[in-house]
């Protein structure tokens, strides 16, 4: 297991308020290159929730789809301002991932990998299959 994967896998323990049911059923379904973005996103979401004690969030899934990050969560008892802050944080992470190689974390771009399968990779990872 890579260090990046270990850090992702520790997020439910680090942020129990975001992962009230513990680890995600399928884990984090994305490459190690996006781990720093996901870790920063979870830290930001936790900070936002600290200012909204009545609100709760449950991260349901974090995965790559169509070359981009999809971060699904359920939010309860949040006022409009808190909900908007959380959406903004998730949107920023999703937009950032569109420019970061999912495999290594370097600058990348979304391209058709093969036969309609989209991925966000840098030039080195695009030419060197896993």
């Amino acid at each position: 297991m890579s260090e990046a994967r270990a850090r992702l896998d520790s997020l439910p323990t680090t942020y129990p308020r975001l992962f009230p049911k513990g680890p995600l059923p399928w884990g984090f379904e994305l490459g190690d290159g996006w781990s720093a973005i996901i870790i920063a996103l979870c830290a930001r979401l936790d900070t936002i929730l600290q200012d909204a004690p009545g609100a709760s969030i449950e991260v349901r899934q974090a995965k790559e789809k169509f070359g981009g990050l999809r971060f699904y969560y359920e939010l309860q008892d949040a006022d409009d301002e808190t909900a908007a802050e959380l959406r903004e944080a998730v949107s920023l992470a999703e937009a950032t991932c569109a420019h970061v190689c999912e495999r290594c974390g370097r600058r990348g771009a979304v391209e058709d990998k093969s036969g309609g399968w989209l991925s966000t990779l840098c030039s080195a990872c695009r030419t060197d299959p896993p």
Side-chain angles (χ1 to χ4, degrees):
M1 176 185 305
S2 72
E3 181 181 331
R5 184 59 46 177
R7 290 179 67 205
L8 283 175
D9 289 346
S10 72
L11 288 175
T13 303
T14 305
Y15 299 108
R17 195 162 175 201
L18 304 180
F19 301 90
K21 294 181 181 173
L24 298 173
W26 299 282
F28 290 88
E29 303 167 87
L30 45 87
D32 291 353
W34 289 352
S35 63
I37 297 165
I38 300 299
I39 292 164
L41 172 60
C42 288
R44 178 68 184 132
L45 296 177
D46 190 64
T47 298
I48 293 168
L49 288 176
Q50 287 175 15
D51 294 333
S56 68
I57 191 171
E58 180 182 344
V59 176
R60 296 292 184 106
Q61 190 175 32
K63 68 178 185 175
E64 177 278 332
K65 185 174 183 178
F66 302 122
L69 171 65
R70 300 298 183 266
F71 193 87
Y72 301 108
Y73 62 94
E74 183 179 323
L75 179 62
Q76 294 186 6
D77 301 324
D79 60 32
D80 291 344
E81 183 179 334
T82 300
E85 279 186 81
L86 293 165
R87 278 193 308 274
E88 182 179 322
V90 171
S91 292
L92 179 60
E94 290 174 340
T96 301
C97 285
H99 304 287
V100 174
C101 178
E102 183 186 359
R103 198 179 306 162
C104 72
R106 286 184 234 139
R107 183 150 180 79
V110 178
E111 288 188 19
D112 186 337
K113 189 172 172 182
S114 63
W117 190 267
L118 300 176
S119 61
T120 303
L121 298 171
C122 66
S123 57
C125 289
R126 186 165 276 106
T127 58
D128 183 27

